Amino acid sequence: EPLAQTTEKEPTPRSRLFFPPPSAPEKNKLNCLQREPTHSCHLLALASTLSLSTKDPVATTSLLANFFQSIAQGTQNSEEVICAAIRILDPVTPVPPEVLAAVVKEAFGFAATVAKDEDALAEAALEGRRTVGSTKRSPRLLLTEVARAAEERDAAQLVGLVTASRAEAGESYWLIRLLQGRSGIARDTLHSAIARALISVQ
């Protein structure tokens, strides 16, 4: 999806993500390698962005650009976090479906058939999360740890991620989708969003 070169403005997204304001002083930036309240370094922020993009596809590039800007302007270790987000959105090799099915079953005791419907496994994970109950006491999942676990494909790590995921913003659903390599974001769109974020960050 090429960047717009006309004077026409991209339609404003119907829903807006809440991130810390770009003008936040340097001393207030969060250390994303520590456990913090919901912030752009958490998987939940990316899940929220992806959920909004499915409701407003035309605004996908703007939503992603806003997400990357929030990391760059509101967190420490921003380069590491942005790289993790990119690796999650565009993985070199997805986690095999048989591995993910076993992970979901171990995490929630929820058997999910690896069928032609690729969404079945992600939906089973979300249903399992809702059935088992809340994980409010668990630390928020970090983008960096999700990227690491996806690349290492360690079953124990993956089970830990899925178990700690939340129903909020469909995080459990999107975690499986991302591990499947099915973010729903075209590579051209991802590149355009990164470029737009770079142009916009002052």
Side-chain angles (χ1 to χ4, degrees):
E1 179 182 311
L3 291 174
Q5 297 181 359
T6 67
T7 57
E8 294 183 11
K9 295 183 179 179
E10 182 172 336
T12 302
R14 289 190 290 270
S15 301
R16 290 288 186 183
L17 295 175
F18 175 76
F19 291 122
S23 58
E26 181 74 20
K27 64 180 181 180
N28 289 335
K29 286 188 176 182
L30 294 178
N31 184 339
C32 285
L33 298 185
Q34 299 175 352
R35 296 297 193 266
E36 298 286 352
T38 307
H39 195 68
S40 53
C41 59
H42 293 122
L43 177 64
L44 183 60
L46 179 55
S48 298
T49 301
L50 294 174
S51 293
L52 287 175
S53 72
T54 63
K55 297 174 183 177
D56 197 353
V58 176
T60 297
T61 300
S62 290
L63 288 167
L64 276 175
N66 182 48
F67 169 68
F68 286 122
Q69 287 170 21
S70 71
I71 296 175
Q73 300 174 339
T75 70
Q76 294 178 358
N77 310 297
S78 57
E79 180 178 347
E80 180 180 2
V81 178
I82 290 174
C83 285
I86 293 172
R87 299 203 312 270
I88 293 170
L89 287 165
D90 189 20
V92 175
T93 307
V95 179
E98 295 77 10
V99 173
L100 288 177
V103 165
V104 171
K105 184 174 181 180
E106 184 173 345
F108 302 128
F110 218 80
T113 304
V114 181
K116 292 182 179 180
D117 181 5
E118 294 181 314
D119 257 2
L121 191 55
E123 290 170 353
L126 182 57
E127 181 61 27
R129 172 73 281 154
R130 288 170 174 162
T131 301
V132 171
S134 175
T135 58
K136 289 184 178 179
R137 293 186 179 181
S138 300
R140 296 281 189 187
L141 292 179
L142 299 173
L143 291 167
T144 49
E145 62 188 2
V146 172
R148 188 182 311 113
E151 291 167 353
E152 294 178 356
R153 299 187 187 184
D154 180 78
Q157 288 186 53
L158 293 172
V159 169
L161 291 179
V162 175
T163 302
S165 65
R166 308 188 183 204
E168 183 181 355
E171 183 182 52
S172 299
Y173 171 85
W174 285 108
L175 172 59
I176 298 300
R177 285 273 306 246
L178 291 165
L179 292 174
Q180 290 175 320
R182 299 178 55 244
S183 68
I185 304 298
R187 184 169 294 172
D188 286 349
T189 300
L190 176 59
H191 291 173
S192 294
I194 294 170
R196 188 170 300 181
L198 288 172
I199 293 171
S200 301
V201 172
Q202 299 298 325

